[in-house]
């Protein structure tokens, strides 16, 4: 049996005390334990930011690459070895700013992985500039007159025909952990947008601000198979903010659509130099 | 006004951009550059700088926005560092190919992987061939002065080339230094308005970036190259004018106690000042050493450089970047090329040190110079030495 101890790390955590990332880290660990996944079966892929430090604070395989480029690296790893449970981790800057094109491609292709986006609506690592999801009017050092229109990542994901879309809240670890479990179990690309209070640089969207507003869609008899309903739900923001599974559908994952990958992962396929040799002889 | 004020170098660079009255700033935050553009955003928001500040979604977009802005004839500035600079790479070539006079401050920092936010010159060397004028500074005052000069150089209609100011990340960007900030009126007198000859203008349509078939491409590159070469004269003219107006002199190659010295060390950037102290100490110990600092990296100042080192027997070159598997450090390689055809030339010894934020102390520089003298005498099986590796 896998226990929380298996995911314990001795690396000192460099997040601010009270950071929403602590709740997300706990939810990730709990989800992996609940699924009885051993750390060596899990690959964390992350970019640059405060969120992408998460894999340093737990155990598992880790690929820490460039800012905004988590999904291409994760796609490569998953294609080569789809026995791995691949979890991508980014902040709103990497996922919805510099890497937003990759998000659409991974979602459209339906790469079988889970993508956790710690969305605190601000750049934390570079100390408090506006991010793509900063609310209109949000004042930072790069937007002293207030940020412009925020990007709606849920709408964007639905437009790319995503197969699993959820939103969680770092302040509700049990609920978030359930979403992460569902995301990992889902066959296909799962985006979980996680509302994350930033105690240092976002004094607007605070823990209390989110807590007053979030509600669970499942408690209101919401049907997450209904895409039209999901499009409406995805636009709710402000007084009430929905959390839970926003949309879910079954569609073929990337590796099922390629004959070369269908039978088994690339890493398990034998290399047959004779056949290449015969081909080369033709020239 | 000659009062020195204590100010963080990043803030001073932003203030210099304000003094130059830039029209457009497009940037993305990246350590250790962020303070420069944050302060510019603040100046714009406060109405202290009448400019558009565009907080874009990546450095690629930052430089792309700068292309558009400069093409309309607006005075355009950005700043970046490390990964941000290399993400801009393809756009940098377009800026120089289109002859757009953008000015950029680069807070020099190591490149991934492994990830490092600390200083070295690997980012600079990766954009060596982008066709930008490149100037190194050693302290905050030089950063301010050369930011002002950069606009005048880049926008001069005999030049029209984008210009980078390289200042070491953290060692310069995050330190508070005593700096003389020029008066706005003095800068206005020194820096004429930007008169870009063929701006995007609905009344006088122009096409930019058109396709070049093989019949014309090489001619376009030749023209660019001629201009880069010719720009040195203008750069020196601007520095000379700056000297006359502000009393601080800049030269393509600067010398420190190098006349007649048999052993020279060549440095670039903020570590040069530490090297100068090492040179002083070695002279006190009776050694025949001096220093040469390369301020102008592009266009490479061949004549001034050859003149500065011609009487030396040994030239120790410090590189803060490594060309893995290459002939020497990137600067040493160029220096060797510049000297190769001369009948009398110093022996060049290539040292690589100070990567990813590793400091080089005065003792370190003395050590490097001493080892360099030894290697010049005995030879080495290595093409270059990497100094200070913990084994």
């Amino acid at each position: 049996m896998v226990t929380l101890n298996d995911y314990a790390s001795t690396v000192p955590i460099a997040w601010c005390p009270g950071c929403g990332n602590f709740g997300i880290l706990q939810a990730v660990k709990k989800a992996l334990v609940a699924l009885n996944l051993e750390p060596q079966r899990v690959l964390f892929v992350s970019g640059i930011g405060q969120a992408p430090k998460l894999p340093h604070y737990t155990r598992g395989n880790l690929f820490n690459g460039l800012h905004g480029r988590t999904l291409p690296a994760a796609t490569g790893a998953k294609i080569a070895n789809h026995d791995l449970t691949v979890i991508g981790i980014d902040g709103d800057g990497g996922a919805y700013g510099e890497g937003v094109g990759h998000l659409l491609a991974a979602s459209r292709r339906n790469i079988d992985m889970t993508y956790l986006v710690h969305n605190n609506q601000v750049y934390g690592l570079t100390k408090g500039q506006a991010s793509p999801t900063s609310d209109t009017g949000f004042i930072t050092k790069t937007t002293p007159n207030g940020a412009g229109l925020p990007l709606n990542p849920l709408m964007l994901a639905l437009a790319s025909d995503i197969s699993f879309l959820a939103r969680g809240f770092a302040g509700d670890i049990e609920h978030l952990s359930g979403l992460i479990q569902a995301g990992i179990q889902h066959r296909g690309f799962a985006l979980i947008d996680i509302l994350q209070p930033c105690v240092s640089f976002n004094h607007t969207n605070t823990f209390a601000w989110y807590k007053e507003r979030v509600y669970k869609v499942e408690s209101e008899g919401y049907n997450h198979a209904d895409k039209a309903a999901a499009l409406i739900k995805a636009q709710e923001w402000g007084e009430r903010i929905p959390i839970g599974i926003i949309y879910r559908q079954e569609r073929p994952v990337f590796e099922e659509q390629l004959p070369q990958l269908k039978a088994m992962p690339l890493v398990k396929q034998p290399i047959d130099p004779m056949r290449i040799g015969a081909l080369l002889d033709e020239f | 006004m000659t009062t020195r004020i204590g100010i963080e170098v990043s803030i001073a660079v932003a203030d210099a951009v304000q003094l130059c009255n830039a029209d457009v700033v497009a940037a993305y935050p990246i350590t250790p550059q962020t303070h420069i553009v944050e302060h510019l955003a603040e100046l714009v928001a406060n109405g202290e700088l009448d400019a558009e500040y565009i907080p874009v979604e990546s450095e690629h977009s930052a430089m792309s926005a700068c292309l558009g802005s400069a093409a309309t004839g607006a005075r355009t500035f950005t700043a970046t560092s490390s990964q941000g600079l290399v993400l801009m790479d393809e756009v940098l070539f377009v800026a120089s190919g289109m002859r757009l006079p953008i000015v950029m401050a680069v807070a020099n920092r190591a490149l991934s992987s492994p990830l490092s936010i600390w200083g070295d010159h690997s980012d600079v060397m990766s954009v060596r061939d982008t066709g930008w004028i490149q100037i190194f500074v050693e302290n905050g005052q030089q950063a301010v002065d050369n930011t002002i000069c950069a606009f005048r150089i880049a926008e001069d209609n005999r030049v029209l080339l984008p210009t980078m100011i390289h200042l070491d990340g953290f060692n310069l960007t995050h330190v508070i230094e005593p700096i003389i900030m020029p008066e706005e009126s003095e800068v206005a007198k020194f820096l004429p308005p930007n008169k870009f000859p063929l701006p995007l203008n609905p009344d006088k349509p122009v096409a930019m970036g058109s396709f070049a078939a093989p019949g014309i491409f090489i001619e376009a590159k030749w023209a660019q190259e001629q201009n880069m070469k010719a720009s040195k004269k203008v750069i020196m003219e601007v520095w000379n004018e700056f000297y006359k107006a502000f009393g601080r002199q800049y030269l393509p190659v600067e010398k420190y106690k190098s006349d007649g010295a048999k052993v020279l060390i060549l440095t670039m950037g903020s570590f040069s000042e530490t090297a100068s102290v090492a040179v002083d100490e070695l002279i006190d110990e009776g050694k025949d050493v001096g220093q040469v600092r390369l301020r102008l990296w592009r266009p490479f100042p061949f004549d001034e450089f050859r003149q500065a080192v011609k009487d030396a027997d040994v030239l120790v070159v410090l590189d803060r970047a490594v060309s893995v598997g290459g002939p020497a450090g990137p600067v040493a390689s160029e220096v060797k090329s510049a000297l190769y055809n001369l009948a009398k030339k110093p022996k060049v010894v290539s040292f690589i040190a100070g990567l990813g934020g590793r400091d080089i102390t005065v003792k370190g520089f003395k050590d490097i110079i001493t080892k360099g003298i030894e290697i010049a005498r005995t030879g080495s099986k290595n093409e270059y030495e990497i100094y200070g590796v913990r084994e």
Side-chain angles (χ1 to χ4, degrees):
Chain A
M1 268 313 272
V2 176
T3 68
L4 274 175
N5 240 355
D6 295 313
Y7 282 98
S9 159
T10 54
V11 175
I13 295 185
W15 291 324
C16 307
C19 177
N21 279 332
F22 287 96
I24 302 172
L25 174 62
Q26 193 61 15
V28 169
K29 288 184 189 176
K30 280 185 164 226
L32 294 168
V33 170
L35 295 171
N36 204 29
L37 271 167
E38 293 158 324
Q40 66 267 28
R41 306 209 62 80
V42 179
L43 169 64
F44 293 102
V45 185
S46 69
I48 302 294
Q50 291 290 357
K53 292 180 183 173
L54 183 144
H56 302 188
Y57 307 142
T58 180
R59 293 179 67 215
N61 301 287
L62 167 60
F63 184 96
N64 198 168
L66 295 173
H67 181 56
R69 314 298 161 191
T70 294
L71 290 173
T75 299
K78 186 69 187 181
I79 289 171
N81 187 357
H82 42 258
D83 283 350
L84 280 169
T85 294
V86 178
I87 300 175
I89 298 182
D90 268 319
D92 38 315
Y96 304 145
E98 198 148 319
V100 74
H102 304 307
L103 173 62
L104 300 181
S107 169
R108 196 166 51 83
R109 291 186 182 123
N110 207 22
I111 305 295
D112 185 14
M113 65 170 287
T114 309
Y115 192 32
L116 308 179
V117 181
H118 303 204
N119 184 357
N120 58 9
Q121 305 181 256
V122 72
Y123 288 128
L125 191 72
T126 50
K127 315 274 178 277
Q129 300 80 22
S131 89
T133 52
S134 293
D135 281 335
T136 304
F138 184 65
I139 289 172
T140 71
K141 289 175 234 170
T142 51
T143 54
N145 289 331
L149 196 68
L151 179 120
N152 183 330
L154 273 52
M155 291 293 281
L156 200 65
L158 289 167
S160 65
D161 202 23
I162 195 157
S163 65
F164 182 102
L165 175 66
R167 183 190 273 142
F169 172 42
D172 191 338
I173 294 171
E174 285 306 320
H175 182 252
L176 175 60
S177 186
L179 293 176
I180 296 170
Q181 282 177 56
I184 292 171
Q185 284 176 312
H186 173 76
R187 288 267 296 149
F189 187 76
L191 169 66
I192 305 176
D193 178 75
I194 305 168
L195 305 172
Q196 175 217 347
C198 172
V199 292
S200 292
F201 303 111
N202 190 337
H203 301 297
T204 306
N205 311 100
T206 60
F207 184 87
W209 189 92
Y210 287 123
K211 197 159 172 64
E212 277 166 19
R213 288 165 172 80
V214 294
Y215 73 96
K216 297 179 177 114
V217 289
E218 56 271 26
S219 67
E220 298 191 353
Y222 174 73
N223 173 15
H224 59 235
D226 181 348
K227 195 164 186 182
L231 282 162
I232 292 166
K233 199 54 84 183
Q235 292 176 75
E236 271 183 38
W237 187 265
E239 289 310 301
R240 298 188 84 221
I241 301 174
I243 58 172
I245 299 173
I246 304 295
Y247 183 62
R248 184 174 196 165
Q249 65 166 326
E250 297 297 329
R251 65 179 176 92
V253 299
F254 183 75
E255 56 261 33
E256 286 170 2
Q257 299 169 64
L258 285 184
Q260 299 90 330
L261 297 176
K262 225 173 193 171
M264 64 180 88
L266 282 181
V267 289
K268 290 195 175 161
Q269 294 183 27
I271 296 168
D272 187 349
M274 293 307 290
R275 283 164 63 194
I276 297 169
L279 205 64
L280 286 172
D281 286 345
E282 287 178 27
F283 300 94
Chain B
M1 171 90 158
T2 50
T3 312
R4 286 170 186 239
I5 49 161
I7 184 170
E8 186 189 299
V9 173
S10 287
I11 305 299
V13 168
D15 284 342
V17 174
Q18 180 206 10
L19 287 172
C20 295
N21 212 359
D23 300 309
V24 175
V25 178
Y28 189 77
I30 182 168
T31 308
Q33 163 280 121
T34 310
H35 290 183
I36 300 175
V37 296
E38 276 182 352
H39 188 53
L40 280 165
E42 192 184 352
L43 292 169
V44 172
N46 289 347
E48 295 169 68
L49 172 60
D50 183 16
E52 291 294 329
Y53 180 89
I54 318 172
V56 288
E57 67 282 4
S58 80
E59 289 86 355
H60 195 282
S61 310
M63 187 46 64
S64 299
C66 287
L67 293 185
S69 156
T72 66
R75 179 165 287 164
T76 305
F77 178 83
T78 186
T80 192
S81 179
S82 181
Q83 306 300 134
L85 185 64
V86 292
L87 185 62
M88 285 178 178
D89 196 45
E90 65 169 351
V91 198
L92 297 177
F93 284 87
V94 179
S96 60
M98 287 193 180
R99 311 283 305 277
L100 299 169
I102 299 157
V103 172
M104 171 159 65
V106 182
N108 305 141
R109 171 188 138 180
L111 292 175
S112 272
S113 178
L115 172 63
S116 165
I117 58 166
W118 304 99
D120 71 26
H121 292 166
S122 48
D123 55 356
V124 184
M125 296 305 152
S126 71
V127 299
R128 188 189 64 177
D129 300 334
T130 51
W132 283 55
I133 292 171
Q134 303 192 40
I135 296 167
F136 273 84
V137 300
E138 290 145 26
N139 57 44
Q141 186 68 59
Q142 295 183 1
V144 167
D145 294 351
N146 281 285
T147 300
I148 296 166
C149 290
F151 283 108
R152 181 156 160 184
I153 293 165
E155 292 168 2
D156 189 302
N157 276 210
R158 294 167 295 169
V159 176
L160 291 176
L161 286 170
T163 302
M164 283 182 210
I165 302 297
H166 293 295
L167 66 157
D168 284 315
F170 291 113
N171 291 63
L172 284 189
T173 55
H174 283 55
V175 296
I176 293 172
E177 291 198 355
I179 294 173
I180 299 166
M181 290 306 293
E183 292 289 336
E184 203 175 338
S185 58
E186 294 175 320
V187 176
K189 224 185 316 170
F190 173 76
L191 180 64
N194 181 16
K195 292 210 173 98
F196 188 62
L198 276 175
L200 293 175
N201 178 351
D203 299 331
K204 288 184 190 165
V206 291
M208 290 189 183
S210 304
F211 173 80
I216 194 68
F217 188 88
I218 199 165
E219 284 71 18
K221 283 289 139 187
W222 178 84
Q224 196 184 329
E225 199 266 346
Q226 290 293 307
N227 240 74
M228 175 59 102
K229 257 193 203 162
S231 73
K232 194 178 80 183
K233 188 171 155 279
V234 180
I235 295 166
M236 290 168 73
E237 197 180 291
V238 169
W239 276 338
N240 199 32
E241 290 292 316
F242 188 88
Y243 177 52
K244 278 195 247 164
F246 299 95
R248 290 182 293 277
Q249 192 174 24
Y250 297 102
L251 296 166
V253 176
E254 292 176 9
K255 301 190 287 184
Y256 183 70
K257 302 187 177 175
S258 68
D259 285 340
K262 288 296 160 202
V263 178
L264 297 176
I265 178 153
L266 176 76
T267 56
M268 288 157 94
S270 65
F271 282 28
S272 299
E273 295 191 339
T274 317
S276 299
V277 177
V279 165
D280 285 342
E281 290 190 7
L282 285 170
I283 290 172
D284 286 347
E285 291 165 21
K287 302 268 171 36
D288 190 7
V289 301
Q291 183 187 13
V292 171
R293 303 185 305 248
L294 207 50
R295 173 167 312 288
L296 188 60
W297 176 231
R298 281 295 181 275
F300 191 91
F302 291 98
D303 298 339
E304 292 80 358
F305 169 72
R306 287 173 184 142
Q307 190 63 28
V309 304
K310 67 178 173 26
D311 295 326
D313 295 334
V314 180
L315 177 62
V316 180
V317 180
L318 170 71
D319 264 284
R320 294 186 62 205
V322 54
S323 168
V324 181
V331 180
S333 297
E334 298 219 344
V335 160
K336 282 184 180 177
S337 300
L339 296 174
Y340 185 75
N341 286 336
L342 302 185
K344 183 183 177 309
K345 53 186 171 265
K347 274 193 177 170
V348 175
V349 185
S350 168
F351 270 92
I352 289 160
L355 301 182
R358 186 72 65 85
D359 197 15
I360 310 177
T361 59
V362 172
K363 187 184 165 297
F365 270 110
K366 286 170 76 176
D367 213 16
I368 286 171
I369 297 167
T370 310
K371 280 192 172 136
I373 296 169
E374 184 62 17
I375 288 168
R377 195 172 61 80
T378 61
S380 169
K381 60 179 176 21
N382 301 324
E383 299 295 335
Y384 52 86
E385 309 293 325
I386 301 187
Y387 174 79
V389 178
R390 290 185 290 116
E391 286 175 10

